[in-house]
Amino acid sequence: MRVLAKTAYLLTTAALMSFGAVHMASANEELMKMASDAKNWAMPTGDYANTRYSKLNQINKDNVKNLQVKWTMSTGVLRGHEGGPLVIGDVMYIHTPFPNIVYALDLNNEGKILWKYEPKQDPNVIAIMCCDTVNRGVAYGDGKIILNQADTTVVALDAKTGKVVWSVKNGETDGSKGESGTAAPMVVKDKVIIGVSGAEFGVRGWTAAYNLKDGSLAWKAYSTGPDAETLIDPEKTTHLGKPVGPDSGINTWEGEQWKTGGGTTWGWFAYDPKLNLVYYGTGNPSTWNPVQRPGDNRWSMTLMARDADTGVAKWLYQMTPHDEWDYDGVNENILVDGMEVNGAKRDVLVHFDRNGFAYTMDRANGELLVAKKYDPTVNWATEVNMDPNSDQYGRPQVVAKYSTQQNGEDTNSTGICPAALGTKDQQPATYSPKTGLFYVPTNHVCMDYEPYKVSYTAGQPYVGATVAMYPTPNSHGGMGNFIAWDAAKGEIVWSKPEQFSVWSGALATEGDVVFYGTLEGYIKAVDTEGKELYKFKTPSGIIGNVNTFEHGGKQYIAVLSGVGGWAGIGLAGGLLGAEGAAAWQTAVAGEKAPTDEEKSISTAGLGAVGGYAALADYTTLGGQLTVFGLPD
């Protein structure tokens, strides 16, 4: 009763806060207007629906072969450059990995630097950033540029001057708990929505909303814990159509493990203005050793739909209960109206999960419509049960051979597909309303996974597994595919192999061109049937997202290049040699660190170093913005 009373009080208070915020509902009409103008790229993912689709068509399938570099700029920073530039009118805003510099560039004057903001952060934060020092972009709202720094400080900068308007600590900035910031913020109405990183350090994940005007906290929703802290209504919040019941964020954990349970929120946000719901996914439970945390470990690995004003959850869906493979659920959710699924038109959410399944769901109520593998070599589960009358409804059917839980501690489970970095990591897909298809950058990688017992110490790695990655055996092509996906049917329409994983965000345009980047550094353009039309090699591997904008009556394509991220951590973190790998292993695995030099290198970087060792033969570290256009 105490929990229910607390929840009722919370929801009543939230409702009153919502009423008081009604007058602010129109505060962000400026942003919505900017995002609807294809000349701009006003949000990290282009629009609230995360389609990454542009109505610009000056660059099209017939002339894209003529693209040329118009101008470039060095960011002055090495390591992984994820995310992409914003364009608001005549100004472009770009960001870097740590130390998270932000530049404002004048598009009327050859990219002249209007201002530069470089925060002062403790460099010790680098050591607690699991998979490179990446940052996925800045957001715009109400004349402010919002930056989520590596040390979890969220800063609002005056878009015209770069001066700090407000600054707030989203987490512990001294690294004492392993909390860090890598996600791009999303501005929704009068709020800034932001998450947190650090599940590999036992961080208990959350999403927070800060008031855009002054940075004050509006609401904070944890991924695990009691209802009053997860902002879950036990009677009204549903999972696959049924109420979740009291304290659902506690009762599938053993003891108080939920307090170090992971479920961090470092991916992308989407927003439906009609439903006033914010959508996002939560990451892996901590530790990576599943034997140490029995139960479903809710609400890690979960898609969440929350009221934007109050944070109260409307519905949840846990994709990978009791995760045994580190298949974080943080990937973007793409919103599409009127998709015909099973003979009926539905407003849907489409999610390409790390676990290798693509989900199509009714975004109003969380009904599961489609769940299919988007790489046929996915083998850890046979299917997702789609029978509403089954006690397995919505659950993946795990194959015992690839279950690290069933195989147990100190047993090396081999041949698991996909690897921990998933069939797709955070690199966003794109959707074209012209074709009705999704264009998806994917990984084609498998792994061996050996869990071991680990103890929790605040601020120290809390991993508990040794992982080795390698290209999917007995398959044609390389370590990645760029695919076209029919989300209504759950089918691959076409697939274009790539030598390495496709780790960049894709872009579809009304000109019938789809753009993406490769880990070797190529920006590529294909038509809607997958035929390659253009490619250009930038100075470093591309893990950034390809964006487009129009200025002076001309369309441009822009991308950040700078190899890194999880796939490129060997290069970015200096782990390709014995000394660097050994230091990493000691820091992460302690007494479990491999003593064999070859194994030490191959399993460093949470397994990615060995899998992507050949990448060093094709690219090197860098940090550059490249802007393309048609000949004058």
Side-chain angles (χ1 to χ4, degrees), residues 28 71 89 120-121 129 141 144 154-155 176 183 187 262 287 324 337 368 375 445 468 485 489 504 535 563 601:
N28 228 25
W71 56 281
K120 298 188 185 305
Q121 302 181 74
M129 300 185 78
K144 304 176 184 72
V154 181
V155 181
S176 60
V187 173
T287 157
E324 307 171 37
D337 293 342
L368 184 60
D375 183 332
V445 185
W485 177 259
K489 297 178 180 178
S504 83
K535 70 176 182 178
V563 73
I601 294 173

Side-chain angles (χ1 to χ4, degrees), residues 122-323:
D122 186 340
N124 287 325
V125 73
I126 295 173
I128 62 168
M129 300 185 78
C130 133
C131 310
D132 202 9
T133 59
V134 297
N135 183 286
R136 297 185 182 92
V138 294
Y140 173 87
D142 192 29
K144 304 176 184 72
I145 295 295
I146 312 298
L147 168 68
N148 178 28
Q149 296 177 184
D151 66 359
T152 76
T153 302
V154 181
V155 181
L157 307 172
D158 186 293
K160 293 183 179 179
T161 66
K163 301 297 183 184
V164 175
V165 179
W166 54 257
S167 175
V168 64
K169 292 182 178 180
N170 186 43
E172 296 292 339
T173 59
D174 61 1
S176 60
K177 291 186 177 180
E179 297 166 353
S180 59
T182 59
M186 174 174 271
V187 173
V188 174
K189 296 163 70 171
D190 61 333
K191 295 178 177 62
V192 177
I193 312 294
I194 195 66
V196 70
S197 304
E200 278 63 53
F201 290 78
V203 171
R204 177 188 171 206
W206 71 81
T207 293
Y210 295 95
N211 288 307
L212 181 58
K213 182 179 181 180
D214 59 11
S216 58
L217 181 66
W219 54 261
K220 184 175 183 178
Y222 282 94
S223 303
T224 64
D227 293 337
E229 295 181 10
T230 57
L231 303 192
I232 287 174
D233 183 321
E235 297 178 358
K236 294 183 179 179
T237 303
T238 61
H239 180 265
L240 295 175
K242 297 179 179 180
V244 297
D247 283 337
S248 57
I250 291 178
N251 56 29
T252 64
W253 292 87
E254 188 175 80
E256 295 188 335
Q257 286 186 338
W258 56 269
K259 291 183 176 180
T260 54
T264 48
T265 49
W266 50 272
W268 305 95
F269 300 97
Y271 174 61
D272 184 333
K274 291 182 292 184
L275 297 172
N276 197 36
L277 293 178
V278 173
Y279 305 91
Y280 64 95
T282 65
N284 62 284
S286 300
T287 157
W288 282 26
N289 179 358
V291 179
Q292 285 187 244
R293 44 170 174 77
D296 278 357
N297 308 137
R298 291 181 168 178
W299 293 102
S300 66
M301 316 300 284
T302 298
L303 295 184
M304 296 190 164
R306 294 187 179 273
D307 183 282
D309 296 323
T310 67
V312 174
K314 182 173 184 182
W315 60 260
L316 312 167
Y317 170 54
Q318 189 177 41
M319 296 163 291
T320 314
H322 186 63
D323 170 51

Side-chain angles (χ1 to χ4, degrees), residues 558-579:
V559 69
L560 292 168
S561 59
V563 73
W566 194 356
I569 192 64
L571 277 166
L575 307 182
L576 295 174
E579 184 177 353

Side-chain angles (χ1 to χ4, degrees), residues 13 93 103 130 219 299 361 374 396 479 544 603:
T13 303
Y93 301 92
Y103 296 97
C130 133
W219 54 261
W299 293 102
M361 307 185 71
Y374 62 105
M479 298 177 72
T603 61

Side-chain angles (χ1 to χ4, degrees), residues 416-439:
I416 303 168
C417 306
L421 45 67
T423 299
K424 189 181 82 63
D425 204 331
Q426 59 75 38
Q427 59 270 36
T430 182
Y431 169 75
S432 171
K434 287 188 72 174
T435 64
L437 297 177
F438 296 77
Y439 302 96

